[in-house]
Amino acid sequence: LQKPLQHQDLLNALQLGIKKILNCRASAYSVLEHGYSYDPINKAINHPDNTSVQLSKKEYLLLELLLNKKRLIVPYNVIESIVWQETLMSMDALRTLVRGIRKKSYNDIITNVNGIGYKIDL
């Protein structure tokens, strides 16, 4: 916003903020297993001991994708298009990404469906 502040500019900024908050509700604050939870606003995993760990951009993109498709298998090509966007994904890079999420949360948060993709069961 630029000063002097115009009434319409303020309203537009507030409406944009509301839209972003409502869009964030798609993968709203999620209670995971073992006392963990996912905070989409801060893009962090909250631990049972009240600490939190920030996720990298690709980690939170993958976690939000899986949370939006709970109990469904997300194929490798969908993961590549959403998380890696314009670049190519190697299977080793994907495994490393999943391993990073598991280290920041708990081991069985993400399940591999061999030859197809990944899923999250909550």
Side-chain angles (χ1 to χ4, degrees), residues 2-68:
Q2 293 181 344
K3 293 182 183 177
L5 193 61
Q6 299 295 320
H7 182 71
Q8 189 60 41
D9 293 340
L10 178 60
L11 287 176
N12 290 340
L14 289 172
Q15 287 174 342
L16 180 64
I18 290 169
K19 284 180 185 177
K20 286 189 176 192
I21 289 171
L22 292 175
N23 286 339
C24 191
R25 295 286 181 225
S27 61
Y29 191 89
S30 299
V31 176
L32 306 172
E33 295 178 351
H34 310 295
Y36 289 85
S37 61
Y38 172 64
D39 178 1
I41 306 265
N42 296 312
K43 298 184 179 9
I45 292 183
N46 299 321
H47 290 233
D49 62 358
N50 293 326
T51 60
S52 67
V53 178
Q54 284 297 129
L55 297 174
S56 71
K57 181 179 179 181
K58 287 186 176 167
E59 287 172 338
Y60 76 73
L61 285 173
L62 177 60
L63 191 57
E64 286 186 357
L65 173 64
L66 294 172
L67 286 170
N68 286 329

Side-chain angles (χ1 to χ4, degrees), residues 66 68-75 113 118-121:
L66 294 172
N68 286 329
K69 307 284 185 189
K70 286 180 188 171
R71 293 184 282 285
L72 297 175
I73 300 168
V74 180
V113 180
Y118 284 93
K119 69 176 185 170
I120 190 167
D121 288 317

Side-chain angles (χ1 to χ4, degrees), residues 76-120:
Y76 297 127
N77 62 337
V78 173
I79 294 171
E80 181 177 25
S81 67
I82 304 265
V83 177
W84 268 262
Q85 297 165 353
E86 300 295 321
T87 59
L88 294 176
M89 172 191 81
S90 71
M91 292 309 292
D92 287 334
L94 179 57
R95 283 187 208 103
T96 301
L97 188 64
V98 170
R99 190 176 317 117
I101 294 171
R102 287 175 177 159
K103 282 184 181 180
K104 292 178 180 181
S105 57
Y106 54 95
N107 199 36
D108 57 346
I109 185 170
I110 298 173
T111 305
N112 180 16
V113 180
N114 201 13
I116 300 173
Y118 284 93
K119 69 176 185 170
I120 190 167

